[in-house]
Amino acid sequence: MATGIMFLVMFGLMFLGVPIAVSIYIAMLVLIGMNPVTTTNFIAQTLYGGVASFTNLALPFFMICGTIMETGGLSKRLVRFANSLVGGITGSLGMVTVIACMFFGAVSGSAPATVAAIGSIMIPMMVSNGYNKYYATGLTCCAGGLGVIVPPSYPMVLYGVTCNVSVGKLFIAGLGPAFVVGGLLMLINYVMCKRWGIKGDTKLELKNIASSFWDAKWALIMPVIILGGIYSGIFTATEAAVVASVYGIVIGLFVHRELKLEKLWAIFRDNAAFIAGTMFVMAPSKATGQVFAYLNITKIIANFMFSISTNPYIVLCMIFVIMFIVGMFVQTTPAIVILAPTLLAVVSQVGIDPIHFGIIMTLALAIAFVTPPVALNLFVGSSMTGLSIDKIVRAFMPFLIGLIVAFFIVSFVPAISLGVLGDWSLTFG
């Protein structure tokens, strides 16, 4: 009863526009007032423990790194390289959009930032080549979700910190799923453009590939530094984020020379406010988990799910429904902070690996970026083009279906995410 009132208070306050972190704090105090399973002093200590982690430092540095690379002229170089790889294939510009989002996601870790950076270049190009403007915007919004699937990924870092899971392993595990999602989106784009008769307008030439690759080489080295450093054991995820940020500053200032010192100060200032808000939401994660443990919430949820089925595939379907609904109304940070520890404790009982479940949550939240009413990618796409969100939604429905299909493919075949880590088992357990 008390737990139900807590969730009712929390989501009710969010609906009224109360800041998410404040909503969580108030709901927790209401719960403790009704059922004093612990003291407010203990809650205060665990609030501090929720953010006092070395791994937490990876979050602000990856955010800063992505912004630095975007401001330093990264996106246009990645788009040119992606365009040279595709050539004159049917629907080539749509494919370029997907590939460019994958490249940019490999350095930004943010879905909305990917939509803004790639969409500002690719949407006008697609429209001028005969693409419907709603379709072009919808494709970019959906492909922007690759910004959180391709490592490094902000939700992966957040999940790793919240659930005490290796961030480095999450990054490596995200490579396979990123190709599955990107491949499906490109396949759907090819089919749609084939039906509309939209052909490519460039030729696949080795000279163009070599030239664009050389121009984008400094940007393409970034994910090599991050993933290579982590996977080889040279860096932790946090250290890799710091090294990547310094690398981005050096390249932006002295190589591309598109990053100015005044812009650098603005990047630090703007990210400071966002990072503070993120940490403010992260703080109650450990406290909420402790309270839920005292109340046996995990056991209650597990018993409910297992009363329906103990089959891991059925459990994953139920998880998807939960995440899909939550993602429609709650942003990424609170969704992970509130749900990840509890759901992980449930799925672990049916043999689902914590790393694999982190990828599953990331994919579900990538879909949430384009499911109204809380859909950041759609808001970015709408603000860039002036198009209404409802018309963009109708245009991207094939791609949304593709994202959902990709979710179930990756969820039901753990080897796609865990194979790179040496686990090629095709079953759970």
Side-chain angles (χ1 to χ4, degrees), residues 70-113:
E70 177 185 356
T71 308
L74 168 69
S75 53
K76 61 184 180 183
R77 289 175 171 83
L78 292 178
V79 166
R80 181 174 173 237
F81 178 56
N83 198 19
S84 71
L85 293 175
V86 174
I89 300 174
T90 297
S92 60
L93 286 180
M95 294 184 181
V96 169
T97 301
V98 176
I99 295 172
C101 285
M102 294 180 71
F103 283 153
F104 192 79
V107 295
S108 74
S110 167

mmCIF file of all heavy atoms in Angstrom, residues 70-113:
data_model
loop_
_atom_site.group_PDB
_atom_site.id
_atom_site.type_symbol
_atom_site.label_atom_id
_atom_site.label_comp_id
_atom_site.label_asym_id
_atom_site.label_seq_id
_atom_site.Cartn_x
_atom_site.Cartn_y
_atom_site.Cartn_z
ATOM 1 N N GLU A 70 31.572 17.883 -31.495
ATOM 2 C CA GLU A 70 30.515 18.455 -32.337
ATOM 3 C C GLU A 70 30.863 19.896 -32.719
ATOM 4 O O GLU A 70 30.766 20.299 -33.887
ATOM 5 C CB GLU A 70 29.179 18.420 -31.594
ATOM 6 C CG GLU A 70 28.043 19.058 -32.373
ATOM 7 C CD GLU A 70 26.765 19.121 -31.564
ATOM 8 O OE1 GLU A 70 26.743 18.604 -30.434
ATOM 9 O OE2 GLU A 70 25.780 19.689 -32.064
ATOM 10 N N THR A 71 31.278 20.689 -31.740
ATOM 11 C CA THR A 71 31.608 22.094 -31.993
ATOM 12 C C THR A 71 32.846 22.231 -32.870
ATOM 13 O O THR A 71 32.975 23.192 -33.627
ATOM 14 C CB THR A 71 31.842 22.823 -30.655
ATOM 15 O OG1 THR A 71 30.729 22.597 -29.793
ATOM 16 C CG2 THR A 71 32.017 24.318 -30.870
ATOM 17 N N GLY A 72 33.737 21.271 -32.807
ATOM 18 C CA GLY A 72 34.985 21.342 -33.552
ATOM 19 C C GLY A 72 34.903 20.900 -34.994
ATOM 20 O O GLY A 72 35.934 20.635 -35.615
ATOM 21 N N GLY A 73 33.696 20.767 -35.564
ATOM 22 C CA GLY A 73 33.543 20.438 -36.976
ATOM 23 C C GLY A 73 33.559 18.961 -37.282
ATOM 24 O O GLY A 73 33.806 18.549 -38.422
ATOM 25 N N LEU A 74 33.259 18.128 -36.290
ATOM 26 C CA LEU A 74 33.292 16.678 -36.475
ATOM 27 C C LEU A 74 32.202 16.183 -37.411
ATOM 28 O O LEU A 74 32.438 15.369 -38.298
ATOM 29 C CB LEU A 74 33.145 16.011 -35.105
ATOM 30 C CG LEU A 74 32.870 14.515 -35.100
ATOM 31 C CD1 LEU A 74 34.091 13.772 -35.592
ATOM 32 C CD2 LEU A 74 32.498 14.053 -33.709
ATOM 33 N N SER A 75 30.963 16.663 -37.213
ATOM 34 C CA SER A 75 29.811 16.084 -37.893
ATOM 35 C C SER A 75 29.926 16.156 -39.411
ATOM 36 O O SER A 75 29.640 15.186 -40.115
ATOM 37 C CB SER A 75 28.522 16.761 -37.424
ATOM 38 O OG SER A 75 28.614 18.158 -37.548
ATOM 39 N N LYS A 76 30.362 17.289 -39.946
ATOM 40 C CA LYS A 76 30.409 17.415 -41.407
ATOM 41 C C LYS A 76 31.466 16.496 -42.009
ATOM 42 O O LYS A 76 31.303 15.975 -43.131
ATOM 43 C CB LYS A 76 30.664 18.870 -41.805
ATOM 44 C CG LYS A 76 31.976 19.458 -41.312
ATOM 45 C CD LYS A 76 32.085 20.937 -41.677
ATOM 46 C CE LYS A 76 33.398 21.552 -41.189
ATOM 47 N NZ LYS A 76 33.459 23.007 -41.492
ATOM 48 N N ARG A 77 32.553 16.242 -41.292
ATOM 49 C CA ARG A 77 33.591 15.336 -41.796
ATOM 50 C C ARG A 77 33.104 13.889 -41.769
ATOM 51 O O ARG A 77 33.393 13.110 -42.686
ATOM 52 C CB ARG A 77 34.861 15.487 -40.957
ATOM 53 C CG ARG A 77 35.577 16.815 -41.196
ATOM 54 C CD ARG A 77 36.763 17.007 -40.271
ATOM 55 N NE ARG A 77 37.557 18.168 -40.661
ATOM 56 C CZ ARG A 77 37.263 19.418 -40.311
ATOM 57 N NH1 ARG A 77 36.201 19.662 -39.553
ATOM 58 N NH2 ARG A 77 38.026 20.412 -40.715
ATOM 59 N N LEU A 78 32.362 13.523 -40.727
ATOM 60 C CA LEU A 78 31.815 12.170 -40.649
ATOM 61 C C LEU A 78 30.768 11.942 -41.721
ATOM 62 O O LEU A 78 30.679 10.853 -42.301
ATOM 63 C CB LEU A 78 31.221 11.939 -39.253
ATOM 64 C CG LEU A 78 32.219 11.888 -38.095
ATOM 65 C CD1 LEU A 78 31.490 11.694 -36.772
ATOM 66 C CD2 LEU A 78 33.234 10.781 -38.307
ATOM 67 N N VAL A 79 29.937 12.953 -41.996
ATOM 68 C CA VAL A 79 28.909 12.833 -43.034
ATOM 69 C C VAL A 79 29.563 12.626 -44.396
ATOM 70 O O VAL A 79 29.132 11.783 -45.191
ATOM 71 C CB VAL A 79 27.998 14.078 -43.049
ATOM 72 C CG1 VAL A 79 27.166 14.122 -44.327
ATOM 73 C CG2 VAL A 79 27.081 14.075 -41.835
ATOM 74 N N ARG A 80 30.608 13.385 -44.675
ATOM 75 C CA ARG A 80 31.291 13.253 -45.969
ATOM 76 C C ARG A 80 31.892 11.855 -46.114
ATOM 77 O O ARG A 80 31.808 11.233 -47.185
ATOM 78 C CB ARG A 80 32.387 14.313 -46.091
ATOM 79 C CG ARG A 80 33.127 14.236 -47.429
ATOM 80 C CD ARG A 80 34.111 15.373 -47.610
ATOM 81 N NE ARG A 80 34.897 15.141 -48.827
ATOM 82 C CZ ARG A 80 36.215 15.060 -48.879
ATOM 83 N NH1 ARG A 80 36.916 15.231 -47.777
ATOM 84 N NH2 ARG A 80 36.851 14.851 -50.006
ATOM 85 N N PHE A 81 32.494 11.341 -45.052
ATOM 86 C CA PHE A 81 33.078 9.999 -45.116
ATOM 87 C C PHE A 81 31.998 8.943 -45.303
ATOM 88 O O PHE A 81 32.136 8.025 -46.122
ATOM 89 C CB PHE A 81 33.885 9.724 -43.851
ATOM 90 C CG PHE A 81 34.480 8.346 -43.802
ATOM 91 C CD1 PHE A 81 35.304 7.890 -44.816
ATOM 92 C CD2 PHE A 81 34.210 7.493 -42.735
ATOM 93 C CE1 PHE A 81 35.856 6.607 -44.786
ATOM 94 C CE2 PHE A 81 34.750 6.222 -42.688
ATOM 95 C CZ PHE A 81 35.575 5.778 -43.710
ATOM 96 N N ALA A 82 30.888 9.063 -44.556
ATOM 97 C CA ALA A 82 29.779 8.114 -44.694
ATOM 98 C C ALA A 82 29.216 8.151 -46.107
ATOM 99 O O ALA A 82 28.879 7.114 -46.693
ATOM 100 C CB ALA A 82 28.688 8.432 -43.672
ATOM 101 N N ASN A 83 29.096 9.327 -46.689
ATOM 102 C CA ASN A 83 28.559 9.474 -48.041
ATOM 103 C C ASN A 83 29.464 8.793 -49.066
ATOM 104 O O ASN A 83 28.983 8.180 -50.029
ATOM 105 C CB ASN A 83 28.409 10.960 -48.375
ATOM 106 C CG ASN A 83 27.487 11.197 -49.549
ATOM 107 O OD1 ASN A 83 26.686 10.339 -49.912
ATOM 108 N ND2 ASN A 83 27.583 12.357 -50.156
ATOM 109 N N SER A 84 30.770 8.881 -48.849
ATOM 110 C CA SER A 84 31.700 8.252 -49.793
ATOM 111 C C SER A 84 31.614 6.729 -49.746
ATOM 112 O O SER A 84 31.895 6.058 -50.743
ATOM 113 C CB SER A 84 33.133 8.702 -49.476
ATOM 114 O OG SER A 84 33.602 8.115 -48.266
ATOM 115 N N LEU A 85 31.213 6.176 -48.601
ATOM 116 C CA LEU A 85 31.126 4.725 -48.453
ATOM 117 C C LEU A 85 29.908 4.133 -49.144
ATOM 118 O O LEU A 85 29.922 2.981 -49.574
ATOM 119 C CB LEU A 85 31.084 4.347 -46.965
ATOM 120 C CG LEU A 85 32.335 4.613 -46.133
ATOM 121 C CD1 LEU A 85 32.064 4.291 -44.677
ATOM 122 C CD2 LEU A 85 33.504 3.784 -46.653
ATOM 123 N N VAL A 86 28.836 4.909 -49.254
ATOM 124 C CA VAL A 86 27.567 4.391 -49.771
ATOM 125 C C VAL A 86 27.494 4.474 -51.287
ATOM 126 O O VAL A 86 27.047 3.556 -51.966
ATOM 127 C CB VAL A 86 26.382 5.145 -49.132
ATOM 128 C CG1 VAL A 86 25.071 4.714 -49.770
ATOM 129 C CG2 VAL A 86 26.348 4.890 -47.635
ATOM 130 N N GLY A 87 27.922 5.603 -51.874
ATOM 131 C CA GLY A 87 27.896 5.746 -53.319
ATOM 132 C C GLY A 87 26.491 5.902 -53.868
ATOM 133 O O GLY A 87 25.655 6.587 -53.279
ATOM 134 N N GLY A 88 26.199 5.244 -55.007
ATOM 135 C CA GLY A 88 24.937 5.459 -55.713
ATOM 136 C C GLY A 88 23.861 4.434 -55.423
ATOM 137 O O GLY A 88 22.979 4.206 -56.259
ATOM 138 N N ILE A 89 23.892 3.791 -54.267
ATOM 139 C CA ILE A 89 22.873 2.801 -53.907
ATOM 140 C C ILE A 89 21.520 3.482 -53.758
ATOM 141 O O ILE A 89 21.424 4.639 -53.355
ATOM 142 C CB ILE A 89 23.258 2.098 -52.586
ATOM 143 C CG1 ILE A 89 24.599 1.385 -52.743
ATOM 144 C CG2 ILE A 89 22.186 1.095 -52.163
ATOM 145 C CD1 ILE A 89 25.126 0.789 -51.460
ATOM 146 N N THR A 90 20.449 2.765 -54.073
ATOM 147 C CA THR A 90 19.098 3.278 -53.877
ATOM 148 C C THR A 90 18.912 3.727 -52.428
ATOM 149 O O THR A 90 19.202 2.968 -51.500
ATOM 150 C CB THR A 90 18.052 2.194 -54.216
ATOM 151 O OG1 THR A 90 18.164 1.866 -55.598
ATOM 152 C CG2 THR A 90 16.652 2.691 -53.931
ATOM 153 N N GLY A 91 18.424 4.969 -52.259
ATOM 154 C CA GLY A 91 18.228 5.490 -50.909
ATOM 155 C C GLY A 91 19.530 5.792 -50.202
ATOM 156 O O GLY A 91 19.609 5.715 -48.970
ATOM 157 N N SER A 92 20.558 6.167 -50.969
ATOM 158 C CA SER A 92 21.899 6.315 -50.396
ATOM 159 C C SER A 92 21.964 7.379 -49.305
ATOM 160 O O SER A 92 22.631 7.184 -48.277
ATOM 161 C CB SER A 92 22.909 6.646 -51.502
ATOM 162 O OG SER A 92 22.561 7.855 -52.159
ATOM 163 N N LEU A 93 21.266 8.510 -49.493
ATOM 164 C CA LEU A 93 21.354 9.566 -48.486
ATOM 165 C C LEU A 93 20.731 9.136 -47.160
ATOM 166 O O LEU A 93 21.193 9.535 -46.088
ATOM 167 C CB LEU A 93 20.687 10.840 -49.004
ATOM 168 C CG LEU A 93 21.464 11.615 -50.082
ATOM 169 C CD1 LEU A 93 20.699 12.860 -50.497
ATOM 170 C CD2 LEU A 93 22.851 11.993 -49.571
ATOM 171 N N GLY A 94 19.677 8.332 -47.228
ATOM 172 C CA GLY A 94 19.105 7.793 -45.993
ATOM 173 C C GLY A 94 20.087 6.881 -45.287
ATOM 174 O O GLY A 94 20.212 6.903 -44.056
ATOM 175 N N MET A 95 20.805 6.082 -46.067
ATOM 176 C CA MET A 95 21.823 5.201 -45.490
ATOM 177 C C MET A 95 22.971 6.018 -44.907
ATOM 178 O O MET A 95 23.515 5.673 -43.852
ATOM 179 C CB MET A 95 22.343 4.235 -46.545
ATOM 180 C CG MET A 95 21.310 3.246 -47.042
ATOM 181 S SD MET A 95 22.019 2.064 -48.203
ATOM 182 C CE MET A 95 20.556 1.090 -48.617
ATOM 183 N N VAL A 96 23.349 7.081 -45.601
ATOM 184 C CA VAL A 96 24.396 7.963 -45.089
ATOM 185 C C VAL A 96 23.988 8.526 -43.741
ATOM 186 O O VAL A 96 24.808 8.635 -42.817
ATOM 187 C CB VAL A 96 24.684 9.105 -46.086
ATOM 188 C CG1 VAL A 96 25.574 10.168 -45.443
ATOM 189 C CG2 VAL A 96 25.341 8.563 -47.335
ATOM 190 N N THR A 97 22.713 8.895 -43.597
ATOM 191 C CA THR A 97 22.217 9.430 -42.335
ATOM 192 C C THR A 97 22.415 8.432 -41.200
ATOM 193 O O THR A 97 22.881 8.782 -40.103
ATOM 194 C CB THR A 97 20.725 9.795 -42.452
ATOM 195 O OG1 THR A 97 20.555 10.759 -43.488
ATOM 196 C CG2 THR A 97 20.192 10.351 -41.145
ATOM 197 N N VAL A 98 22.072 7.159 -41.465
ATOM 198 C CA VAL A 98 22.219 6.118 -40.436
ATOM 199 C C VAL A 98 23.695 5.910 -40.091
ATOM 200 O O VAL A 98 24.064 5.852 -38.910
ATOM 201 C CB VAL A 98 21.587 4.798 -40.911
ATOM 202 C CG1 VAL A 98 21.825 3.697 -39.876
ATOM 203 C CG2 VAL A 98 20.085 4.977 -41.148
ATOM 204 N N ILE A 99 24.535 5.792 -41.117
ATOM 205 C CA ILE A 99 25.967 5.560 -40.874
ATOM 206 C C ILE A 99 26.596 6.745 -40.148
ATOM 207 O O ILE A 99 27.397 6.574 -39.215
ATOM 208 C CB ILE A 99 26.694 5.303 -42.211
ATOM 209 C CG1 ILE A 99 26.185 4.010 -42.845
ATOM 210 C CG2 ILE A 99 28.200 5.218 -41.996
ATOM 211 C CD1 ILE A 99 26.709 3.771 -44.250
ATOM 212 N N ALA A 100 26.224 7.957 -40.561
ATOM 213 C CA ALA A 100 26.768 9.147 -39.903
ATOM 214 C C ALA A 100 26.341 9.210 -38.440
ATOM 215 O O ALA A 100 27.115 9.630 -37.575
ATOM 216 C CB ALA A 100 26.316 10.404 -40.641
ATOM 217 N N CYS A 101 25.108 8.807 -38.141
ATOM 218 C CA CYS A 101 24.644 8.764 -36.749
ATOM 219 C C CYS A 101 25.450 7.752 -35.940
ATOM 220 O O CYS A 101 25.747 7.986 -34.758
ATOM 221 C CB CYS A 101 23.150 8.413 -36.695
ATOM 222 S SG CYS A 101 22.046 9.767 -37.166
ATOM 223 N N MET A 102 25.821 6.628 -36.571
ATOM 224 C CA MET A 102 26.653 5.645 -35.883
ATOM 225 C C MET A 102 28.031 6.223 -35.597
ATOM 226 O O MET A 102 28.564 6.075 -34.485
ATOM 227 C CB MET A 102 26.770 4.368 -36.727
ATOM 228 C CG MET A 102 25.460 3.614 -36.888
ATOM 229 S SD MET A 102 25.617 2.113 -37.896
ATOM 230 C CE MET A 102 26.536 1.053 -36.777
ATOM 231 N N PHE A 103 28.616 6.882 -36.592
ATOM 232 C CA PHE A 103 29.935 7.497 -36.392
ATOM 233 C C PHE A 103 29.885 8.555 -35.295
ATOM 234 O O PHE A 103 30.740 8.597 -34.400
ATOM 235 C CB PHE A 103 30.417 8.138 -37.690
ATOM 236 C CG PHE A 103 30.937 7.159 -38.707
ATOM 237 C CD1 PHE A 103 30.893 7.456 -40.059
ATOM 238 C CD2 PHE A 103 31.467 5.944 -38.322
ATOM 239 C CE1 PHE A 103 31.373 6.555 -41.007
ATOM 240 C CE2 PHE A 103 31.939 5.035 -39.254
ATOM 241 C CZ PHE A 103 31.897 5.348 -40.601
ATOM 242 N N PHE A 104 28.871 9.422 -35.381
ATOM 243 C CA PHE A 104 28.805 10.510 -34.407
ATOM 244 C C PHE A 104 28.469 9.980 -33.012
ATOM 245 O O PHE A 104 28.957 10.495 -32.009
ATOM 246 C CB PHE A 104 27.770 11.550 -34.826
ATOM 247 C CG PHE A 104 27.859 12.822 -34.039
ATOM 248 C CD1 PHE A 104 28.814 13.769 -34.336
ATOM 249 C CD2 PHE A 104 27.006 13.068 -32.972
ATOM 250 C CE1 PHE A 104 28.935 14.930 -33.605
ATOM 251 C CE2 PHE A 104 27.106 14.237 -32.228
ATOM 252 C CZ PHE A 104 28.075 15.172 -32.548
ATOM 253 N N GLY A 105 27.629 8.941 -32.943
ATOM 254 C CA GLY A 105 27.320 8.332 -31.652
ATOM 255 C C GLY A 105 28.542 7.753 -30.984
ATOM 256 O O GLY A 105 28.613 7.666 -29.752
ATOM 257 N N ALA A 106 29.533 7.370 -31.802
ATOM 258 C CA ALA A 106 30.757 6.786 -31.255
ATOM 259 C C ALA A 106 31.616 7.800 -30.525
ATOM 260 O O ALA A 106 32.601 7.418 -29.883
ATOM 261 C CB ALA A 106 31.575 6.129 -32.372
ATOM 262 N N VAL A 107 31.265 9.084 -30.616
ATOM 263 C CA VAL A 107 32.016 10.083 -29.874
ATOM 264 C C VAL A 107 31.135 10.963 -28.999
ATOM 265 O O VAL A 107 31.635 11.663 -28.115
ATOM 266 C CB VAL A 107 32.839 10.997 -30.809
ATOM 267 C CG1 VAL A 107 33.910 10.203 -31.526
ATOM 268 C CG2 VAL A 107 31.954 11.705 -31.811
ATOM 269 N N SER A 108 29.819 10.943 -29.214
ATOM 270 C CA SER A 108 28.950 11.837 -28.448
ATOM 271 C C SER A 108 28.270 11.152 -27.281
ATOM 272 O O SER A 108 28.149 11.719 -26.206
ATOM 273 C CB SER A 108 27.889 12.464 -29.365
ATOM 274 O OG SER A 108 26.900 11.508 -29.711
ATOM 275 N N GLY A 109 27.783 9.901 -27.474
ATOM 276 C CA GLY A 109 27.083 9.191 -26.414
ATOM 277 C C GLY A 109 25.711 9.728 -26.119
ATOM 278 O O GLY A 109 25.079 9.350 -25.142
ATOM 279 N N SER A 110 25.196 10.625 -26.985
ATOM 280 C CA SER A 110 23.909 11.276 -26.740
ATOM 281 C C SER A 110 23.036 11.184 -27.977
ATOM 282 O O SER A 110 23.477 11.514 -29.080
ATOM 283 C CB SER A 110 24.136 12.743 -26.361
ATOM 284 O OG SER A 110 22.923 13.473 -26.404
ATOM 285 N N ALA A 111 21.790 10.755 -27.805
ATOM 286 C CA ALA A 111 20.857 10.656 -28.923
ATOM 287 C C ALA A 111 20.405 12.031 -29.437
ATOM 288 O O ALA A 111 20.463 12.292 -30.641
ATOM 289 C CB ALA A 111 19.656 9.797 -28.531
ATOM 290 N N PRO A 112 19.936 12.944 -28.555
ATOM 291 C CA PRO A 112 19.521 14.265 -29.053
ATOM 292 C C PRO A 112 20.652 15.024 -29.743
ATOM 293 O O PRO A 112 20.434 15.700 -30.751
ATOM 294 C CB PRO A 112 19.060 14.992 -27.779
ATOM 295 C CG PRO A 112 18.672 13.910 -26.831
ATOM 296 C CD PRO A 112 19.643 12.800 -27.109
ATOM 297 N N ALA A 113 21.883 14.915 -29.202
ATOM 298 C CA ALA A 113 23.019 15.594 -29.827
ATOM 299 C C ALA A 113 23.291 15.024 -31.210
ATOM 300 O O ALA A 113 23.653 15.755 -32.145
ATOM 301 C CB ALA A 113 24.268 15.458 -28.943
#
